[in-house]
Amino acid sequence: MIKIVSLNVGKPQPVPFEKKEVSTGIYKHPVEGEVFLSSLNFDGDGQADLVHHGGKDKAVCVYPYEHYAYWVKQLGRELQYGAFGENLTTRGLLEDDVCIGDTFQVGGAILQVSQPRQPCFKLSVKYGVPELPLWVQNTGYTGYYFRVLQEGNVAAEDELILLERHSHGRTVTFANRIMHHEKQNAEGMRAMLAVDQLSDSWRKTFEKRLGGIETDTKERLTGQA
């Protein structure tokens, strides 16, 4: 059984970062009862950086609860639900188990996997560990995003019911590997581009890379231009 163990929302807030102030929506808190999910986000939720977060392809951020134990050990601290800025903390649906384009019924909503989550420097802002975004990226414990195909109410402890498995079977783990570790794997990139449901941002990155243009990840991972 695949279940939501916590539904988390939070509005962007200003926080200090390296002698300046940045706005981040990474501070999420669990909520009880049903929450309406629109095509852009849950009621009460918001994102500050709409380049790397939010939008229709990234309406819902998901993080598997199974990874929490690893990060508790790595960070040496207890973690609350929503620790990685995710909207849905889930159990039973790891990156190895879910494919780009898979669709799920969750409460009254229908959701579709669009891309892996790309960790950004806001994680290091929250935990004071500059290496954390790269650690998350390199472990593959990234979580992933849903787009919303049908709006509706969703509640903590709702089940995620698989409606359709995408025929190409390109898992979030595979997508992460091609994006971050096998940057010269043209066959892998073409395999990802063959999945029509892949998010626009990941599609553009792979298309540029096939054309010989590499995307600079420094700003996303460190907050430094």
PDB file of all heavy atoms in Angstrom, residues 175-203:
ATOM      1  N   ALA A 175      16.177   8.733 -14.574  1.00  0.00           N
ATOM      2  CA  ALA A 175      16.240  10.142 -14.984  1.00  0.00           C
ATOM      3  C   ALA A 175      17.335  10.878 -14.225  1.00  0.00           C
ATOM      4  O   ALA A 175      18.103  11.655 -14.815  1.00  0.00           O
ATOM      5  CB  ALA A 175      14.888  10.806 -14.757  1.00  0.00           C
ATOM      6  N   ASN A 176      17.429  10.646 -12.913  1.00  0.00           N
ATOM      7  CA  ASN A 176      18.485  11.263 -12.114  1.00  0.00           C
ATOM      8  C   ASN A 176      19.876  10.863 -12.600  1.00  0.00           C
ATOM      9  O   ASN A 176      20.798  11.685 -12.651  1.00  0.00           O
ATOM     10  CB  ASN A 176      18.331  10.865 -10.635  1.00  0.00           C
ATOM     11  CG  ASN A 176      17.414  11.786  -9.868  1.00  0.00           C
ATOM     12  OD1 ASN A 176      17.340  12.977 -10.138  1.00  0.00           O
ATOM     13  ND2 ASN A 176      16.712  11.228  -8.889  1.00  0.00           N
ATOM     14  N   ARG A 177      20.028   9.585 -12.932  1.00  0.00           N
ATOM     15  CA  ARG A 177      21.330   9.089 -13.373  1.00  0.00           C
ATOM     16  C   ARG A 177      21.766   9.772 -14.672  1.00  0.00           C
ATOM     17  O   ARG A 177      22.924  10.203 -14.800  1.00  0.00           O
ATOM     18  CB  ARG A 177      21.286   7.572 -13.553  1.00  0.00           C
ATOM     19  CG  ARG A 177      22.664   6.962 -13.764  1.00  0.00           C
ATOM     20  CD  ARG A 177      22.636   5.453 -13.658  1.00  0.00           C
ATOM     21  NE  ARG A 177      22.116   4.823 -14.857  1.00  0.00           N
ATOM     22  CZ  ARG A 177      20.998   4.097 -14.919  1.00  0.00           C
ATOM     23  NH1 ARG A 177      20.257   3.907 -13.837  1.00  0.00           N
ATOM     24  NH2 ARG A 177      20.595   3.552 -16.049  1.00  0.00           N
ATOM     25  N   ILE A 178      20.839   9.896 -15.610  1.00  0.00           N
ATOM     26  CA  ILE A 178      21.175  10.526 -16.891  1.00  0.00           C
ATOM     27  C   ILE A 178      21.437  12.015 -16.708  1.00  0.00           C
ATOM     28  O   ILE A 178      22.356  12.582 -17.314  1.00  0.00           O
ATOM     29  CB  ILE A 178      20.041  10.295 -17.913  1.00  0.00           C
ATOM     30  CG1 ILE A 178      19.830   8.789 -18.162  1.00  0.00           C
ATOM     31  CG2 ILE A 178      20.342  11.008 -19.224  1.00  0.00           C
ATOM     32  CD1 ILE A 178      21.062   8.053 -18.650  1.00  0.00           C
ATOM     33  N   MET A 179      20.672  12.670 -15.859  1.00  0.00           N
ATOM     34  CA  MET A 179      20.836  14.112 -15.659  1.00  0.00           C
ATOM     35  C   MET A 179      22.127  14.457 -14.928  1.00  0.00           C
ATOM     36  O   MET A 179      22.854  15.382 -15.324  1.00  0.00           O
ATOM     37  CB  MET A 179      19.644  14.668 -14.879  1.00  0.00           C
ATOM     38  CG  MET A 179      19.741  16.163 -14.553  1.00  0.00           C
ATOM     39  SD  MET A 179      19.774  17.239 -16.027  1.00  0.00           S
ATOM     40  CE  MET A 179      18.029  17.243 -16.462  1.00  0.00           C
ATOM     41  N   HIS A 180      22.441  13.707 -13.877  1.00  0.00           N
ATOM     42  CA  HIS A 180      23.514  14.129 -12.980  1.00  0.00           C
ATOM     43  C   HIS A 180      24.810  13.327 -13.082  1.00  0.00           C
ATOM     44  O   HIS A 180      25.864  13.844 -12.711  1.00  0.00           O
ATOM     45  CB  HIS A 180      23.021  14.074 -11.531  1.00  0.00           C
ATOM     46  CG  HIS A 180      21.814  14.916 -11.281  1.00  0.00           C
ATOM     47  ND1 HIS A 180      21.782  16.270 -11.534  1.00  0.00           N
ATOM     48  CD2 HIS A 180      20.579  14.586 -10.819  1.00  0.00           C
ATOM     49  CE1 HIS A 180      20.577  16.754 -11.227  1.00  0.00           C
ATOM     50  NE2 HIS A 180      19.839  15.755 -10.792  1.00  0.00           N
ATOM     51  N   HIS A 181      24.741  12.087 -13.558  1.00  0.00           N
ATOM     52  CA  HIS A 181      25.916  11.218 -13.496  1.00  0.00           C
ATOM     53  C   HIS A 181      26.406  10.732 -14.861  1.00  0.00           C
ATOM     54  O   HIS A 181      27.586  10.401 -14.996  1.00  0.00           O
ATOM     55  CB  HIS A 181      25.624  10.005 -12.606  1.00  0.00           C
ATOM     56  CG  HIS A 181      25.198  10.378 -11.222  1.00  0.00           C
ATOM     57  ND1 HIS A 181      26.057  10.931 -10.305  1.00  0.00           N
ATOM     58  CD2 HIS A 181      23.985  10.311 -10.609  1.00  0.00           C
ATOM     59  CE1 HIS A 181      25.403  11.181  -9.174  1.00  0.00           C
ATOM     60  NE2 HIS A 181      24.152  10.811  -9.339  1.00  0.00           N
ATOM     61  N   GLU A 182      25.528  10.658 -15.836  1.00  0.00           N
ATOM     62  CA  GLU A 182      25.916  10.172 -17.168  1.00  0.00           C
ATOM     63  C   GLU A 182      25.608  11.252 -18.200  1.00  0.00           C
ATOM     64  O   GLU A 182      24.801  11.075 -19.104  1.00  0.00           O
ATOM     65  CB  GLU A 182      25.191   8.865 -17.495  1.00  0.00           C
ATOM     66  CG  GLU A 182      25.527   7.735 -16.535  1.00  0.00           C
ATOM     67  CD  GLU A 182      24.812   6.431 -16.871  1.00  0.00           C
ATOM     68  OE1 GLU A 182      24.271   6.310 -17.996  1.00  0.00           O
ATOM     69  OE2 GLU A 182      24.794   5.531 -16.011  1.00  0.00           O
ATOM     70  N   LYS A 183      26.278  12.376 -18.046  1.00  0.00           N
ATOM     71  CA  LYS A 183      25.948  13.557 -18.846  1.00  0.00           C
ATOM     72  C   LYS A 183      26.300  13.413 -20.327  1.00  0.00           C
ATOM     73  O   LYS A 183      25.849  14.215 -21.148  1.00  0.00           O
ATOM     74  CB  LYS A 183      26.630  14.788 -18.246  1.00  0.00           C
ATOM     75  CG  LYS A 183      26.108  15.139 -16.864  1.00  0.00           C
ATOM     76  CD  LYS A 183      26.686  16.442 -16.363  1.00  0.00           C
ATOM     77  CE  LYS A 183      26.068  16.841 -15.037  1.00  0.00           C
ATOM     78  NZ  LYS A 183      26.534  18.159 -14.570  1.00  0.00           N
ATOM     79  N   GLN A 184      27.100  12.402 -20.653  1.00  0.00           N
ATOM     80  CA  GLN A 184      27.441  12.166 -22.061  1.00  0.00           C
ATOM     81  C   GLN A 184      26.623  11.037 -22.677  1.00  0.00           C
ATOM     82  O   GLN A 184      26.868  10.652 -23.824  1.00  0.00           O
ATOM     83  CB  GLN A 184      28.939  11.834 -22.172  1.00  0.00           C
ATOM     84  CG  GLN A 184      29.862  12.885 -21.572  1.00  0.00           C
ATOM     85  CD  GLN A 184      29.643  14.275 -22.150  1.00  0.00           C
ATOM     86  OE1 GLN A 184      29.519  14.444 -23.359  1.00  0.00           O
ATOM     87  NE2 GLN A 184      29.584  15.276 -21.274  1.00  0.00           N
ATOM     88  N   ASN A 185      25.661  10.528 -21.933  1.00  0.00           N
ATOM     89  CA  ASN A 185      24.864   9.381 -22.393  1.00  0.00           C
ATOM     90  C   ASN A 185      23.752   9.865 -23.320  1.00  0.00           C
ATOM     91  O   ASN A 185      22.613  10.106 -22.896  1.00  0.00           O
ATOM     92  CB  ASN A 185      24.290   8.633 -21.191  1.00  0.00           C
ATOM     93  CG  ASN A 185      23.609   7.328 -21.579  1.00  0.00           C
ATOM     94  OD1 ASN A 185      23.188   7.150 -22.725  1.00  0.00           O
ATOM     95  ND2 ASN A 185      23.497   6.420 -20.628  1.00  0.00           N
ATOM     96  N   ALA A 186      24.080  10.001 -24.599  1.00  0.00           N
ATOM     97  CA  ALA A 186      23.114  10.521 -25.576  1.00  0.00           C
ATOM     98  C   ALA A 186      21.920   9.591 -25.722  1.00  0.00           C
ATOM     99  O   ALA A 186      20.773  10.044 -25.858  1.00  0.00           O
ATOM    100  CB  ALA A 186      23.805  10.723 -26.921  1.00  0.00           C
ATOM    101  N   GLU A 187      22.175   8.291 -25.691  1.00  0.00           N
ATOM    102  CA  GLU A 187      21.075   7.323 -25.816  1.00  0.00           C
ATOM    103  C   GLU A 187      20.099   7.481 -24.641  1.00  0.00           C
ATOM    104  O   GLU A 187      18.878   7.448 -24.824  1.00  0.00           O
ATOM    105  CB  GLU A 187      21.622   5.899 -25.847  1.00  0.00           C
ATOM    106  CG  GLU A 187      20.553   4.835 -26.022  1.00  0.00           C
ATOM    107  CD  GLU A 187      21.126   3.424 -26.065  1.00  0.00           C
ATOM    108  OE1 GLU A 187      22.363   3.292 -26.184  1.00  0.00           O
ATOM    109  OE2 GLU A 187      20.336   2.474 -25.978  1.00  0.00           O
ATOM    110  N   GLY A 188      20.649   7.664 -23.438  1.00  0.00           N
ATOM    111  CA  GLY A 188      19.811   7.857 -22.268  1.00  0.00           C
ATOM    112  C   GLY A 188      19.001   9.138 -22.354  1.00  0.00           C
ATOM    113  O   GLY A 188      17.820   9.171 -21.981  1.00  0.00           O
ATOM    114  N   MET A 189      19.620  10.211 -22.830  1.00  0.00           N
ATOM    115  CA  MET A 189      18.902  11.476 -22.981  1.00  0.00           C
ATOM    116  C   MET A 189      17.771  11.348 -23.997  1.00  0.00           C
ATOM    117  O   MET A 189      16.670  11.867 -23.778  1.00  0.00           O
ATOM    118  CB  MET A 189      19.871  12.590 -23.375  1.00  0.00           C
ATOM    119  CG  MET A 189      20.775  13.038 -22.228  1.00  0.00           C
ATOM    120  SD  MET A 189      21.809  14.449 -22.667  1.00  0.00           S
ATOM    121  CE  MET A 189      23.213  13.634 -23.410  1.00  0.00           C
ATOM    122  N   ARG A 190      18.045  10.661 -25.082  1.00  0.00           N
ATOM    123  CA  ARG A 190      16.987  10.473 -26.088  1.00  0.00           C
ATOM    124  C   ARG A 190      15.854   9.605 -25.531  1.00  0.00           C
ATOM    125  O   ARG A 190      14.679   9.824 -25.862  1.00  0.00           O
ATOM    126  CB  ARG A 190      17.577   9.852 -27.354  1.00  0.00           C
ATOM    127  CG  ARG A 190      18.529  10.794 -28.101  1.00  0.00           C
ATOM    128  CD  ARG A 190      18.915  10.256 -29.463  1.00  0.00           C
ATOM    129  NE  ARG A 190      19.907  11.123 -30.096  1.00  0.00           N
ATOM    130  CZ  ARG A 190      21.210  10.904 -30.115  1.00  0.00           C
ATOM    131  NH1 ARG A 190      21.706   9.805 -29.532  1.00  0.00           N
ATOM    132  NH2 ARG A 190      22.040  11.752 -30.693  1.00  0.00           N
ATOM    133  N   ALA A 191      16.211   8.649 -24.706  1.00  0.00           N
ATOM    134  CA  ALA A 191      15.183   7.823 -24.066  1.00  0.00           C
ATOM    135  C   ALA A 191      14.294   8.673 -23.169  1.00  0.00           C
ATOM    136  O   ALA A 191      13.070   8.480 -23.112  1.00  0.00           O
ATOM    137  CB  ALA A 191      15.834   6.697 -23.257  1.00  0.00           C
ATOM    138  N   MET A 192      14.885   9.635 -22.457  1.00  0.00           N
ATOM    139  CA  MET A 192      14.087  10.533 -21.618  1.00  0.00           C
ATOM    140  C   MET A 192      13.231  11.464 -22.473  1.00  0.00           C
ATOM    141  O   MET A 192      12.051  11.709 -22.163  1.00  0.00           O
ATOM    142  CB  MET A 192      15.000  11.350 -20.699  1.00  0.00           C
ATOM    143  CG  MET A 192      15.670  10.550 -19.595  1.00  0.00           C
ATOM    144  SD  MET A 192      14.511   9.579 -18.586  1.00  0.00           S
ATOM    145  CE  MET A 192      13.297  10.816 -18.141  1.00  0.00           C
ATOM    146  N   LEU A 193      13.769  11.978 -23.552  1.00  0.00           N
ATOM    147  CA  LEU A 193      13.021  12.887 -24.412  1.00  0.00           C
ATOM    148  C   LEU A 193      11.865  12.191 -25.117  1.00  0.00           C
ATOM    149  O   LEU A 193      10.902  12.845 -25.539  1.00  0.00           O
ATOM    150  CB  LEU A 193      13.956  13.528 -25.443  1.00  0.00           C
ATOM    151  CG  LEU A 193      14.956  14.540 -24.875  1.00  0.00           C
ATOM    152  CD1 LEU A 193      15.993  14.928 -25.928  1.00  0.00           C
ATOM    153  CD2 LEU A 193      14.230  15.778 -24.372  1.00  0.00           C
ATOM    154  N   ALA A 194      11.942  10.877 -25.227  1.00  0.00           N
ATOM    155  CA  ALA A 194      10.849  10.113 -25.843  1.00  0.00           C
ATOM    156  C   ALA A 194       9.619  10.025 -24.945  1.00  0.00           C
ATOM    157  O   ALA A 194       8.539   9.628 -25.394  1.00  0.00           O
ATOM    158  CB  ALA A 194      11.336   8.707 -26.204  1.00  0.00           C
ATOM    159  N   VAL A 195       9.785  10.396 -23.667  1.00  0.00           N
ATOM    160  CA  VAL A 195       8.659  10.394 -22.730  1.00  0.00           C
ATOM    161  C   VAL A 195       7.980  11.765 -22.816  1.00  0.00           C
ATOM    162  O   VAL A 195       8.497  12.767 -22.308  1.00  0.00           O
ATOM    163  CB  VAL A 195       9.131  10.118 -21.285  1.00  0.00           C
ATOM    164  CG1 VAL A 195       7.950  10.104 -20.324  1.00  0.00           C
ATOM    165  CG2 VAL A 195       9.894   8.796 -21.218  1.00  0.00           C
ATOM    166  N   ASP A 196       6.833  11.822 -23.471  1.00  0.00           N
ATOM    167  CA  ASP A 196       6.148  13.098 -23.702  1.00  0.00           C
ATOM    168  C   ASP A 196       5.809  13.815 -22.397  1.00  0.00           C
ATOM    169  O   ASP A 196       5.704  15.045 -22.363  1.00  0.00           O
ATOM    170  CB  ASP A 196       4.862  12.878 -24.500  1.00  0.00           C
ATOM    171  CG  ASP A 196       5.128  12.445 -25.929  1.00  0.00           C
ATOM    172  OD1 ASP A 196       6.247  12.677 -26.429  1.00  0.00           O
ATOM    173  OD2 ASP A 196       4.210  11.869 -26.550  1.00  0.00           O
ATOM    174  N   GLN A 197       5.640  13.060 -21.322  1.00  0.00           N
ATOM    175  CA  GLN A 197       5.207  13.635 -20.046  1.00  0.00           C
ATOM    176  C   GLN A 197       6.363  14.234 -19.240  1.00  0.00           C
ATOM    177  O   GLN A 197       6.141  14.773 -18.156  1.00  0.00           O
ATOM    178  CB  GLN A 197       4.483  12.580 -19.216  1.00  0.00           C
ATOM    179  CG  GLN A 197       3.168  12.119 -19.810  1.00  0.00           C
ATOM    180  CD  GLN A 197       3.325  11.100 -20.947  1.00  0.00           C
ATOM    181  OE1 GLN A 197       4.452  10.663 -21.248  1.00  0.00           O
ATOM    182  NE2 GLN A 197       2.241  10.716 -21.568  1.00  0.00           N
ATOM    183  N   LEU A 198       7.585  14.141 -19.733  1.00  0.00           N
ATOM    184  CA  LEU A 198       8.720  14.761 -19.052  1.00  0.00           C
ATOM    185  C   LEU A 198       8.501  16.268 -18.977  1.00  0.00           C
ATOM    186  O   LEU A 198       8.026  16.883 -19.933  1.00  0.00           O
ATOM    187  CB  LEU A 198      10.018  14.453 -19.800  1.00  0.00           C
ATOM    188  CG  LEU A 198      11.314  15.005 -19.186  1.00  0.00           C
ATOM    189  CD1 LEU A 198      11.638  14.316 -17.865  1.00  0.00           C
ATOM    190  CD2 LEU A 198      12.475  14.843 -20.173  1.00  0.00           C
ATOM    191  N   SER A 199       8.856  16.880 -17.861  1.00  0.00           N
ATOM    192  CA  SER A 199       8.653  18.316 -17.675  1.00  0.00           C
ATOM    193  C   SER A 199       9.407  19.123 -18.727  1.00  0.00           C
ATOM    194  O   SER A 199      10.436  18.699 -19.258  1.00  0.00           O
ATOM    195  CB  SER A 199       9.118  18.744 -16.290  1.00  0.00           C
ATOM    196  OG  SER A 199      10.530  18.673 -16.201  1.00  0.00           O
ATOM    197  N   ASP A 200       8.894  20.320 -19.004  1.00  0.00           N
ATOM    198  CA  ASP A 200       9.527  21.188 -19.997  1.00  0.00           C
ATOM    199  C   ASP A 200      10.958  21.545 -19.609  1.00  0.00           C
ATOM    200  O   ASP A 200      11.839  21.610 -20.468  1.00  0.00           O
ATOM    201  CB  ASP A 200       8.708  22.475 -20.168  1.00  0.00           C
ATOM    202  CG  ASP A 200       7.420  22.259 -20.948  1.00  0.00           C
ATOM    203  OD1 ASP A 200       7.297  21.202 -21.614  1.00  0.00           O
ATOM    204  OD2 ASP A 200       6.541  23.145 -20.902  1.00  0.00           O
ATOM    205  N   SER A 201      11.200  21.798 -18.313  1.00  0.00           N
ATOM    206  CA  SER A 201      12.535  22.235 -17.903  1.00  0.00           C
ATOM    207  C   SER A 201      13.574  21.135 -18.113  1.00  0.00           C
ATOM    208  O   SER A 201      14.686  21.409 -18.591  1.00  0.00           O
ATOM    209  CB  SER A 201      12.530  22.700 -16.449  1.00  0.00           C
ATOM    210  OG  SER A 201      12.167  21.657 -15.574  1.00  0.00           O
ATOM    211  N   TRP A 202      13.213  19.901 -17.783  1.00  0.00           N
ATOM    212  CA  TRP A 202      14.157  18.802 -18.003  1.00  0.00           C
ATOM    213  C   TRP A 202      14.313  18.526 -19.496  1.00  0.00           C
ATOM    214  O   TRP A 202      15.412  18.220 -19.963  1.00  0.00           O
ATOM    215  CB  TRP A 202      13.714  17.543 -17.249  1.00  0.00           C
ATOM    216  CG  TRP A 202      14.200  17.547 -15.834  1.00  0.00           C
ATOM    217  CD1 TRP A 202      14.043  18.558 -14.925  1.00  0.00           C
ATOM    218  CD2 TRP A 202      14.955  16.534 -15.174  1.00  0.00           C
ATOM    219  NE1 TRP A 202      14.640  18.221 -13.734  1.00  0.00           N
ATOM    220  CE2 TRP A 202      15.200  16.998 -13.859  1.00  0.00           C
ATOM    221  CE3 TRP A 202      15.422  15.284 -15.548  1.00  0.00           C
ATOM    222  CZ2 TRP A 202      15.911  16.235 -12.921  1.00  0.00           C
ATOM    223  CZ3 TRP A 202      16.127  14.526 -14.627  1.00  0.00           C
ATOM    224  CH2 TRP A 202      16.367  15.002 -13.331  1.00  0.00           C
ATOM    225  N   ARG A 203      13.248  18.657 -20.239  1.00  0.00           N
ATOM    226  CA  ARG A 203      13.321  18.460 -21.694  1.00  0.00           C
ATOM    227  C   ARG A 203      14.304  19.463 -22.307  1.00  0.00           C
ATOM    228  O   ARG A 203      15.164  19.102 -23.117  1.00  0.00           O
ATOM    229  CB  ARG A 203      11.926  18.620 -22.295  1.00  0.00           C
ATOM    230  CG  ARG A 203      11.855  18.411 -23.809  1.00  0.00           C
ATOM    231  CD  ARG A 203      10.414  18.367 -24.280  1.00  0.00           C
ATOM    232  NE  ARG A 203       9.723  17.245 -23.653  1.00  0.00           N
ATOM    233  CZ  ARG A 203       9.814  15.978 -24.058  1.00  0.00           C
ATOM    234  NH1 ARG A 203      10.578  15.669 -25.106  1.00  0.00           N
ATOM    235  NH2 ARG A 203       9.165  15.031 -23.438  1.00  0.00           N
TER     236      ARG A 203
END
